[in-house]
């Protein structure tokens, strides 16, 4: 259902229970990246072409049948290909009107629940969608909250970003990690993902995830060598007491050692 049919749209919805039940495309999703304490969000699907269960809901806006259920919300690139998707539940239509964007499209207001999509990540998806996530170091100036959003997009877009090179690199490779910008665990995960999978790359966003990635299937097959440049600078921050990360550096090295990774501290 995606591909060329999705050109000109940024989002697509498909039922979580039935992949053949396609709910339509939308040009924008205003409010999607604004979080709430309980995970619920009010989202305006602007320039939407509703189909399936979503279209059916529009006949029952004031009743219980206005709920379409759970879905996969895909983010699309400029060619209409899926970059990544989030699980959303309790999607309920609350309003609909003709869209000013294009004849035949609607602006539909929905309420949905999603705890995976982090506030502040929209701009990173836009970089990926427009092909501008193409230089190393683009995360260097980000705030801690922005780094977390960066990592979340790296996680959910990892298969799309590796679509041209889906296989792991051969064992024995040497990867260079620049530790000069590593000031906390999240900045380390940004640097590690970039070192192994390039700009915006993913290779874990917590210690357990790094350990999983070292099992293969995420871009690099062990054993390999990690040349950690400016490691003294990074270590000074990672072993500090700020944020309770005193044991982080040692735990990290232990994971690498257990997986047969040769870490060269430069």
């Amino acid at each position: 259902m995606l591909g060329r049919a999705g050109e000109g749209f940024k989002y697509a919805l498909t039922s979580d229970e039935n992949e053949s039940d396609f709910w339509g495309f939308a040009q924008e999703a205003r409010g999607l990246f604004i979080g709430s304490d309980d995970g619920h969000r009010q989202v305006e699907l602007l320039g939407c072409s509703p189909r399936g269960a979503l279209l059916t809901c529009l006949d029952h806006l004031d009743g219980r049948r206005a709920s379409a259920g759970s879905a996969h919300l895909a983010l699309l690139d400029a060619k209409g290909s899926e970059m990544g998707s989030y699980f959303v539940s309790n999607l309920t239509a609350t309003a609909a009107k003709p869209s000013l964007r294009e004849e035949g499209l609607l602006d539909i207001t929905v309420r949905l629940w999603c705890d995976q999509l982090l506030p502040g990540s929209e701009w990173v998806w836009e970089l990926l969608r427009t092909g501008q996530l193409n230089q190393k170091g683009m995360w260097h100036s980000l705030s801690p909250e922005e780094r977390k959003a960066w990592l979340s997009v790296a996680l959910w877009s990892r298969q799309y970003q590796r679509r041209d090179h889906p296989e792991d690199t051969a064992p024995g490779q040497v990867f260079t990690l620049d530790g000069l910008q590593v000031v906390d665990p999240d900045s380390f995960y940004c640097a590690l993902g970039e070192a192994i999978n390039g700009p915006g790359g993913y290779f874990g966003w917590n210690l357990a995830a790094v350990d999983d990635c070292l099992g293969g299937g995420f871009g690099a097959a062990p054993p390999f060598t990690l040349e950690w440049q400016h490691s003294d600078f990074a270590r000074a921050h990672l072993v500090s007491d700020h944020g309770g990360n005193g044991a982080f550096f040692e735990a990290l090295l232990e994971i690498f050692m257990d997986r047969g990774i040769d870490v060269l501290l430069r």
Side-chain angles (χ1 to χ4, degrees), residues 5-21:
E7 288 188 26
F9 295 95
K10 290 185 179 181
Y11 304 93
L13 282 161
T14 305
S15 169
D16 174 60
E17 298 179 355
N18 182 0
E19 292 185 358
S20 65
D21 185 11

Side-chain angles (χ1 to χ4, degrees), residues 121 133 199:
S121 58
L133 209 170

Side-chain angles (χ1 to χ4, degrees), residues 39 57 178 202 243:
C57 287
D178 183 358
Y202 172 81

Side-chain angles (χ1 to χ4, degrees), residues 197-252:
N197 287 310
Y202 172 81
F203 206 78
W205 70 337
N206 55 49
L207 289 176
V210 170
D211 189 46
D212 286 342
C213 290
L214 289 171
F218 289 87
F224 59 79
T225 297
L226 182 67
E227 184 178 350
W228 190 338
Q229 297 179 343
H230 306 291
S231 60
D232 287 345
F233 176 89
R235 183 170 190 164
H237 288 81
L238 293 175
V239 302
S240 71
D241 292 330
H242 302 293
N245 297 317
F248 179 83
F249 190 83
E250 298 303 325
L252 189 61

